[in-house]
């Protein structure tokens, strides 16, 4: 008789289950809640971008492109970085187009972290970092951000203290998901002091680079040659152009780092869908869409914050990204996951518990809302939150 028993499989990611974003979005749908949890827009991208992708399809750009990405897009990315941040990357050897930023982040970690290497992760942190480190056989060393009335900040003295002879990589994220904080010049000076005269690499997650508010500038690592020389800098067209489902991003890195990145890249995705690369390259000829993005989202942020001022939430600063963190201690003493579930089921507005962004579920009494939504969506959510 044939044995039809499935063999046992030892998981490589024992601590990983369904993400909090998937769970909260499903709960929002079941509950009829306004979904301010998962970070994606509920409005469409510009029709011109869709038309440019369609034009690329009709022009026959439907087969495999070059492994590193189509040349016009890599050239457009390099030109944009040079114009905005003053750093010249060679588009042939230092820019790689990826299947979204998460693939870029994971590939960067896999290409440079070896078993036993330590990776410093600043928490709360985007949820893909730790699983990718585990897959590489690395050891995460987590340093918690400090949070006070002025919001979240990185304790660089603690980051420095976490460095050891086994430290291979430090991951930074600005503008920061989930906190909405941004790194300033002083932060990058502190980071430079830590890595100077070491072999430590940096992975800089900058997917919200065009969402920095109140006249501040985005302090990309590309601006600082000392840091750029040892950094993988990651960004995302999904966030910039309101097309998160297209999953197109990129990594900029020195040629030696890019060569190792591409060794892994070619065997986990090989390359990225062709017509969208050509369409985005054409769309990038006009810088207005990304240059206008800070004002576009700052208006939404201000609308949302003004409405939240009429609730019992305590607002933390939102200097970047499209996320707003709030403290709810004046409303309830319960744990963040329980509060987010109650808010979704009873008040009909979904949020994400910030504790989900910590390796050990650190509780701060804070949840995160996403304001990348139509004005009417935000107003409906605010109407319901005004009950609190």
């Amino acid at each position: 008789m044939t044995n039809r028993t499935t063999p046992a499989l030892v998981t490589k990611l024992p601590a990983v289950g369904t993400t909090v974003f998937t769970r909260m979005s499903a709960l929002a749908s079941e509950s009829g809640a306004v979904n301010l949890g998962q970070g994606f827009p509920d409005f469409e991208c510009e029709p011109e971008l869709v038309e440019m992708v369609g034009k690329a399809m009709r022009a026959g750009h439907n087969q495999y492109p070059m492994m590193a990405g189509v040349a016009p897009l890599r050239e457009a990315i390099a030109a944009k970085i040079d114009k905005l941040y003053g750093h010249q990357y060679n588009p042939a050897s230092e820019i790689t187009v990826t299947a979204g930023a998460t693939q870029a982040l994971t590939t960067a970690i896999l290409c440079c972290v070896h078993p036993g290497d330590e990776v410093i992760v600043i928490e709360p942190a985007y949820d893909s970092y730790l699983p990718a480190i585990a897959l590489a056989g690395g050891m995460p060393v987590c340093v918690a951000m400090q949070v006070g009335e002025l919001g979240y900040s990185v304790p660089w003295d603690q980051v420095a203290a976490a460095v050891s002879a086994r430290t291979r990589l430090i991951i930074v994220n600005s503008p920061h998901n989930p906190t909405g904080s941004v790194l300033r010049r002083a932060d990058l000076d502190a980071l430079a002091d830590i890595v100077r005269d070491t072999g430590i690499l940096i992975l800089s997650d900058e997917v919200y680079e065009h969402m920095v508010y109140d006249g501040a500038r985005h302090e990309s690592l590309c601006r600082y040659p000392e840091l750029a020389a040892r950094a993988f800098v990651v960004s995302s067209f999904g966030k910039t152009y309101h097309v998160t489902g297209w999953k197109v991003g990129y990594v900029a890195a020195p040629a030696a780092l890019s060569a190792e990145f591409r060794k892994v890249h070619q065997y986990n995705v090989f390359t990225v869908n062709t017509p969208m690369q050509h369409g985005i390259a054409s769309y990038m000829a006009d810088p207005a869409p990304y240059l206008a993005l800070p004002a576009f989202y700052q208006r939404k942020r201000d609308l949302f914050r003004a409405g939240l001022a009429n609730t019992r939430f305590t607002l933390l600063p939102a200097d970047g990204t499209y996320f707003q963190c709030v403290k709810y201690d004046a409303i309830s003493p319960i744990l963040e996951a329980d509060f987010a579930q109650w808010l979704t089921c009873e008040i009909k507005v979904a949020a994400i518990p910030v504790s989900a962004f910590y390796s050990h579920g650190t509780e701060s009494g804070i949840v995160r809302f996403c304001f990348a939504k139509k004005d009417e969506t935000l107003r409906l959510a605010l109407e319901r939150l005004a009950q609190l």
Side-chain angles (χ1 to χ4, degrees):
M1 182 175 180
T2 303
N3 185 344
R4 297 182 179 179
T5 303
T6 301
L9 176 64
V10 178
T11 178
K12 288 188 173 183
L13 297 172
V16 171
T18 305
T19 71
V20 67
F21 312 105
T22 300
R23 295 197 306 272
M24 293 309 298
S25 288
L27 185 61
S29 180
E30 293 167 10
S31 304
V34 178
N35 189 358
L36 302 188
Q38 197 165 0
F40 59 85
D42 69 345
F43 47 85
E44 295 300 322
C45 67
E46 291 298 321
E48 292 83 359
L49 178 55
V50 175
E51 175 55 32
M52 288 175 179
V53 172
K55 184 177 180 181
M57 290 180 180
R58 292 189 294 273
H61 296 299
N62 298 302
Q63 307 306 325
Y64 290 131
M66 291 180 63
M67 177 267 288
V70 302
L73 181 55
R74 285 184 284 118
E75 290 163 3
I77 292 166
K80 186 192 86 162
I81 292 173
D82 187 14
K83 180 179 179 180
L84 292 181
Y85 308 130
H87 188 98
Q88 295 183 350
Y89 287 99
N90 183 327
S93 60
E94 299 182 318
I95 303 290
T96 307
V97 180
T98 61
T102 299
Q103 185 250 316
L105 294 164
T106 299
T107 300
I109 290 167
L110 290 174
C111 83
C112 69
V113 175
H114 295 257
D117 284 349
E118 292 180 352
V119 181
I120 295 178
V121 179
I122 298 167
E123 292 187 319
Y126 180 60
D127 67 339
S128 81
Y129 301 165
L130 295 183
I133 294 167
L135 290 173
M139 300 294 293
V141 178
C142 297
V143 176
M145 297 176 80
Q146 296 171 336
V147 58
E149 291 182 3
L150 299 179
Y152 286 86
S153 61
V154 179
W156 291 108
D157 57 336
Q158 294 180 34
V159 174
V163 171
S164 77
R166 292 192 296 175
T167 303
R168 185 59 179 143
L169 183 69
I170 297 175
I171 304 178
V172 295
N173 173 206
S174 180
H176 187 262
N177 177 18
T179 70
S181 61
V182 300
L183 296 180
R184 311 290 183 178
R185 173 65 185 264
D187 294 296
L188 297 193
D189 287 343
L191 177 60
D193 288 341
I194 291 169
V195 299
R196 189 174 295 123
D197 299 323
T198 74
I200 297 171
L201 299 173
I202 302 169
L203 176 53
S204 187
D205 179 350
E206 303 185 14
V207 301
Y208 299 98
E209 62 177 315
H210 299 298
M211 300 170 208
V212 179
Y213 309 127
D214 305 312
R217 74 176 193 174
H218 169 54
E219 295 294 346
S220 174
L221 263 68
C222 299
R223 293 187 187 276
Y224 301 92
E226 181 181 9
L227 295 173
R230 62 176 74 228
F232 300 91
V233 177
V234 173
S235 193
S236 163
F237 293 113
K239 300 296 190 298
T240 301
Y241 291 142
H242 318 308
V243 287
T244 60
W246 289 13
K247 298 298 292 178
V248 182
Y250 61 88
V251 61
L257 299 184
S258 289
E260 291 304 311
F261 181 94
R262 290 177 179 182
K263 287 180 183 179
V264 177
H265 173 78
Q266 70 179 334
Y267 291 117
N268 63 11
V269 295
F270 176 58
T271 191
V272 179
N273 66 82
T274 306
M276 286 176 180
Q277 289 194 60
H278 282 281
I280 291 171
S282 298
Y283 193 65
M284 288 183 73
D286 181 6
Y290 60 78
L291 293 178
L293 208 57
F296 173 83
Y297 272 123
Q298 182 171 331
R299 189 190 63 78
K300 289 186 177 294
R301 180 202 68 170
D302 292 348
L303 183 157
F304 192 52
R305 286 176 65 88
L308 287 175
N310 298 319
T311 70
R312 289 189 290 158
F313 288 116
T314 301
L315 279 68
L316 296 178
D319 296 326
T321 74
Y322 45 50
F323 300 117
Q324 173 67 60
C325 286
V326 297
K327 297 190 74 171
Y328 61 83
D329 55 326
I331 300 170
S332 174
I334 63 177
L335 297 178
E336 291 174 14
D338 295 334
F339 181 79
Q341 182 167 332
W342 172 82
L343 196 67
T344 303
C345 296
E346 301 300 326
I347 307 301
K348 306 300 184 185
V349 179
I352 298 291
V354 173
S355 57
F357 295 86
Y358 288 89
S359 53
H360 298 294
T362 301
E363 291 286 331
S364 308
I366 297 172
V367 294
R368 188 201 77 179
F369 294 115
C370 172
F371 56 81
K373 307 296 177 183
K374 298 174 185 173
D375 288 2
E376 53 263 40
T377 303
L378 295 175
R379 290 193 178 99
L380 176 58
L382 290 168
E383 200 175 288
R384 296 177 178 181
L385 293 173
Q387 302 171 45
L388 297 173

